[in-house]
Amino acid sequence: MTAKILTHAVSRPPTPRVAWRRINPTIVIFLVLLAAICWISPLYRTAPGLMSLLQRASPVIILSAGQTFVLVTGGFDLSVGSLITLVVVACALITGGDGSLTWIALLAAYGIGLTVGLINGAIVAWGKVPSIITTLGMLLSVKGVAMLWSGGAPEGYLPVNLRYFGRYVWRHVPLIQRLPVAVVVLVGSLAVLVWLFHFTNFGRLLLMIGDNPRAAELSGVPVRRQRMLAFVISALAAVTAGILLGGFSGVSVDVGTGYELEATSAAVIGGVVLLGGEGSMTGAIFGGLTLYALFTLLNLIGFPEPLRVAVQGLILVAAAALTARRSGTRQ
């Protein structure tokens, strides 16, 4: 009889209250912000308006998802913003507006991203330099390379077929009417990142490293290699975001400015713990959506740009405080 009762207790489905607690609160926050946006602006009550919102949010979401691989190990990658700038500048200078050179420019961009990620990862993993110092130095170095290469004021422009990824929209699509290419790039990128993080040992090992790197190393986890790969993924995500941003806004030496903080803010909004060991792709994705929805709402209300930066700073401070509180609770 006792065994039957225990079996029934184990197999009993979770109560609605328990199931509700499992929902990431960022999803609820995003839906509330989206409702406010739709209430203020009728444009976003339509499928094309929502697709436009998703198109503009794509770079932040991809960056946040890529940054999560580094954050869950207990590290930071502050170089992604300057890497975006270098990618846009490099593509413009390599192509010179010639569409026949687009694929060469794209290969060069991902080659640059791979190199930056490997350097960051090697210095952090083998040089044992704190990631915040390493990537801050890389931020300045990459920004300097972009300024030197472009002469401080990049000339030329991105060819039409390169801007296609960020700007082109397929029209007359059933149900949604218009489908931006950037949304397709977003879905494809997230599919790969979600698979790596949740459906392979790679993601589980990163969480182990972030929770207790010493214990992970004693368990046979190749900690250094895993950390380096995390930085590579973050850099490649930044390249993808840079290609989309280049399509949106064209060539500028400031195109990537501030995106390293936006990516980090979005990830921590989604529940990624700054000290590592906890996080999910769902949280990172909805964190990016929530941050962009918040900025969109502030713009619709008419708040000035400095206030948006202040809000982002408050989010980071609040996230750090929450992380410290969680750490104290665990101890």
Side-chain angles (χ1 to χ4, degrees):
M1 178 65 70
T2 303
K4 289 183 179 179
I5 293 174
L6 289 174
T7 302
H8 177 71
V10 171
S11 61
R12 185 175 58 189
T15 62
R17 181 177 296 179
V18 173
W20 175 256
R21 288 178 179 176
R22 291 179 180 176
I23 298 176
N24 191 314
T26 311
I27 299 175
V28 179
I29 296 172
F30 168 69
L31 292 176
V32 171
L33 290 172
L34 183 61
I37 290 171
C38 292
W39 180 68
I40 294 173
S41 175
L43 170 66
Y44 294 103
R45 301 173 194 170
T46 65
L50 292 176
M51 283 294 106
S52 178
L53 178 70
L54 194 57
Q55 177 186 19
R56 292 292 179 177
S58 294
V60 175
I61 298 172
I62 293 173
L63 275 176
S64 175
Q67 183 80 275
T68 298
F69 284 83
V70 175
L71 290 173
V72 296
T73 67
F76 292 88
D77 188 355
L78 301 179
S79 65
V80 293
S82 58
L83 180 55
I84 287 173
T85 299
L86 180 57
V87 164
V88 174
V89 169
C91 286
L93 294 177
I94 290 173
T95 60
D98 185 354
S100 64
L101 298 176
T102 290
W103 295 110
I104 295 176
L106 291 176
L107 288 175
Y110 280 102
I112 291 170
L114 178 62
T115 302
V116 170
L118 287 172
I119 293 173
N120 279 336
I123 293 174
V124 171
W126 278 273
K128 297 184 179 180
V129 179
S131 60
I132 193 168
I133 301 299
T134 300
T135 56
L136 179 60
M138 185 60 72
L139 180 155
L140 298 173
S141 299
V142 171
K143 183 77 170 181
V145 170
M147 296 291 287
L148 181 63
W149 193 355
S150 64
E155 299 178 357
Y157 56 91
L158 298 174
V160 175
N161 59 349
L162 186 58
R163 302 197 72 175
Y164 172 92
F165 296 102
R167 303 187 79 178
Y168 190 78
V169 175
W170 288 311
R171 303 186 184 277
H172 309 297
V173 178
L175 299 179
I176 59 175
Q177 300 179 36
R178 61 195 301 273
L179 177 61
V181 174
V183 175
V184 177
V185 174
L186 171 67
V187 172
S189 300
L190 292 181
V192 173
L193 295 175
V194 168
W195 174 74
L196 283 173
F197 194 86
H198 289 293
F199 297 97
T200 67
N201 283 329
F202 177 62
R204 288 186 284 272
L205 293 178
L206 292 181
L207 290 169
M208 287 178 60
I209 293 169
D211 187 54
N212 192 326
R214 180 58 179 165
E217 190 170 14
L218 292 174
S219 300
V221 176
V223 174
R224 292 175 178 175
R225 187 181 68 188
Q226 298 296 103
R227 276 182 167 158
M228 185 172 68
L229 289 175
F231 280 99
V232 168
I233 291 173
S234 177
L236 294 179
V239 173
T240 304
I243 292 169
L244 295 182
L245 284 168
F248 294 155
S249 55
V251 184
S252 168
V253 292
D254 297 319
V255 65
T257 301
Y259 272 95
E260 60 281 341
L261 295 181
E262 287 194 19
T264 303
S265 301
V268 297
I269 287 172
V272 178
V273 176
L274 288 176
L275 298 179
E278 186 177 337
S280 70
M281 279 294 108
T282 301
I285 292 167
F286 276 94
L289 283 168
T290 299
L291 187 65
Y292 191 81
L294 175 62
F295 290 163
T296 301
L297 181 61
L298 292 178
N299 287 334
L300 289 174
I301 294 174
F303 279 23
E305 177 71 17
L307 183 58
R308 193 181 89 164
V309 176
V311 169
Q312 187 172 322
L314 290 174
I315 290 172
L316 278 174
V317 172
L322 181 60
T323 297
R325 184 175 180 180
R326 287 179 179 177
S327 299
T329 303
R330 289 175 183 174
Q331 293 173 359

